[in-house]
Amino acid sequence: MSGAGAGPLDGRAALAEAYAHGPGRVVEPGVSPGVAAAAGARVPLRGLAGCGRFGAAVAHLLTAVATPLRWEPWNQYNDHRAYPSARAAHTVDLVLLAGGRWVLDAVRRELVGEGTPALGGAVEIELVRRRDRLSAGYREFGDVLAELEVGHVGAALVGHARRLGLRAEVDGVVVRVSSHRESGAAVAPSPVRSSGVGPRGIAADPRPLARAVLDAVVDAVGRSPGGLRHRVAVRGVRDVVDGWHAVDGGLRVVEPGDAVRSLGAVFGHPPGVFDVASANLALVTTGDPAEAVAAGGPDGYRALLRAAGATGQRVCEAAAGAGAFCRPARSVDDGALEGLVGAPAGHCLLYLLVIGRPRGAGFAYDLSPVEA
């Protein structure tokens, strides 16, 4: 899964890749490389409105999901979009297949290609992995981050397409969008997704969290595909016992105790950078790569990562709607965390989402286009 794309794998290579991403992996510090902008003719996204209501709706979809929506001058990573991205590297390019291949230049809100975009009543959006936007120090683990992001982007596109009155579905790394009952007008933006950054790093407000936040998270997890196993650590949520809870078919406690604070021992960042023990919720997702490859072929492991990313996107959106931040994290001791959640022997860690009420919010510049 390295480089700008990803070639086919056989089952044995897919499993070797999965195991290389687990305990014992090496990640070294490094600077994300600069990547040149795409070359070719440029068409402003708003130009798709010339293709009628469907074209206008597709333009609003790409704008709302994939382009910078606000700029936080006080944040380490300033530009924020509808989905999280490791190191804000944005390791997924969106390519609109409409009378040719049109790469989205998200910063400039332009499509780059040859000729003129042609939209009928349906288009495909290819999600192209751009592992090259991450530091080489991530080694093969950068592929995990890119694949999780593919899942995030696909889920974000499907969710916002429905709000615009479009039909959309994900098939691997392609999102198919078709006309339905779109008006061509913009819709209300999604709730602002907080990164959880406060005056002393990333930390949650110490006051008890409303049960409604946990309920929203459980509902979002309930819509995740099969093959994933979820456990949520709960701390300081009104009317809920602290401890590890299962979320399959609703919330049920499986091990009362100080589950969230136990994460501090397996987390890779010090409390001054990311105080994971202050969080109210921590969702741990695991899956079985061998089972996924046996059921889905060589792409099974990648599909498992994409499913975890898609679930993560829905949880991020649910948390934002309930006034909480949801911070994806993968800087952990995988084996120790798998042990904490009692993961089955064949499972590996796929994702950790840390959730809480933000301590505060700084000034942000609204970057949404005036015409939207």
Side-chain angles (χ1 to χ4, degrees):
M1 290 191 317
S2 45
L9 295 176
D10 61 27
R12 184 177 300 177
L15 290 179
E17 179 182 62
Y19 301 144
H21 294 156
R25 65 175 180 266
V26 177
V27 176
E28 299 171 329
V31 178
S32 296
V35 180
R42 290 179 170 266
V43 176
L45 271 179
R46 62 178 179 273
L48 294 181
C51 299
R53 289 184 301 179
F54 179 62
V58 170
H60 288 307
L61 174 63
L62 295 174
T63 299
V65 169
T67 73
L69 300 179
R70 71 187 190 281
W71 180 269
E72 295 181 350
W74 45 272
N75 202 328
Q76 180 184 8
Y77 301 108
N78 307 111
D79 112 30
H80 280 254
R81 310 186 188 190
Y83 60 91
S85 176
R87 300 286 175 180
H90 302 111
T91 58
V92 177
D93 269 349
L94 280 71
V95 179
L96 184 69
L97 306 180
R101 294 177 59 84
W102 293 89
V103 180
L104 174 65
D105 184 330
V107 173
R108 297 169 181 82
R109 293 193 173 115
E110 294 175 334
L111 295 170
V112 184
E114 298 296 334
T116 303
L119 280 72
V123 295
E124 291 185 346
I125 301 170
E126 184 180 346
L127 308 179
V128 178
R129 307 169 186 92
R130 294 299 304 269
R131 164 64 182 81
D132 54 316
R133 291 194 177 127
L134 280 169
S135 162
Y138 278 95
R139 300 190 182 185
E140 62 275 344
F141 190 65
D143 299 334
V144 172
L145 301 178
E147 207 71 26
L148 288 167
E149 189 168 321
V150 170
H152 272 277
V153 176
L157 286 167
V158 169
H160 198 70
R162 290 172 182 156
R163 290 190 282 273
L164 286 162
L166 297 165
R167 286 195 174 102
E169 62 178 6
V170 178
D171 182 7
V173 295
V174 173
V175 180
R176 295 189 176 90
V177 182
S178 57
S179 178
H180 182 39
R181 49 181 179 80
E182 70 279 359
S183 68
V187 297
S190 302
V192 173
R193 183 180 57 81
S194 170
S195 58
V197 175
R200 295 182 179 178
I202 300 167
D205 187 310
R207 293 173 294 177
L209 190 71
R211 171 68 188 256
V213 179
L214 176 57
D215 289 342
V217 169
V218 171
D219 179 66
V221 172
R223 291 179 277 122
S224 67
L228 302 178
R229 179 182 186 267
H230 307 281
R231 290 292 184 267
V232 62
V234 176
R235 185 188 72 84
V237 177
R238 290 191 180 96
D239 303 321
V240 180
V241 174
D242 285 2
W244 287 106
H245 293 248
V247 290
D248 45 338
L251 189 72
R252 73 177 192 282
V253 64
V254 294
E255 185 182 343
D258 210 352
V260 171
R261 292 196 186 280
S262 70
L263 294 173
V266 304
F267 200 60
H269 294 294
V273 175
F274 193 154
D275 188 4
V276 66
S278 74
N280 298 103
L281 305 172
L283 180 70
V284 180
T285 299
T286 64
D288 188 331
E291 185 178 274
V293 170
D299 188 54
Y301 169 57
R302 298 177 185 176
L304 203 60
L305 287 168
R306 294 195 295 270
T311 300
Q313 179 64 26
R314 287 189 284 270
V315 171
C316 284
E317 292 176 357
F325 71 82
C326 178
R327 185 83 179 204
R330 277 302 313 257
S331 181
V332 297
D333 181 337
D334 290 26
L337 183 51
E338 290 160 14
L340 281 178
V341 300
H347 277 225
C348 68
L349 175 68
L350 299 174
Y351 223 2
L352 168 64
L353 301 173
V354 180
I355 302 160
R357 182 192 297 108
R359 285 178 176 264
F363 172 76
Y365 294 95
D366 182 1
L367 300 180
S368 56
V370 175
E371 65 268 22

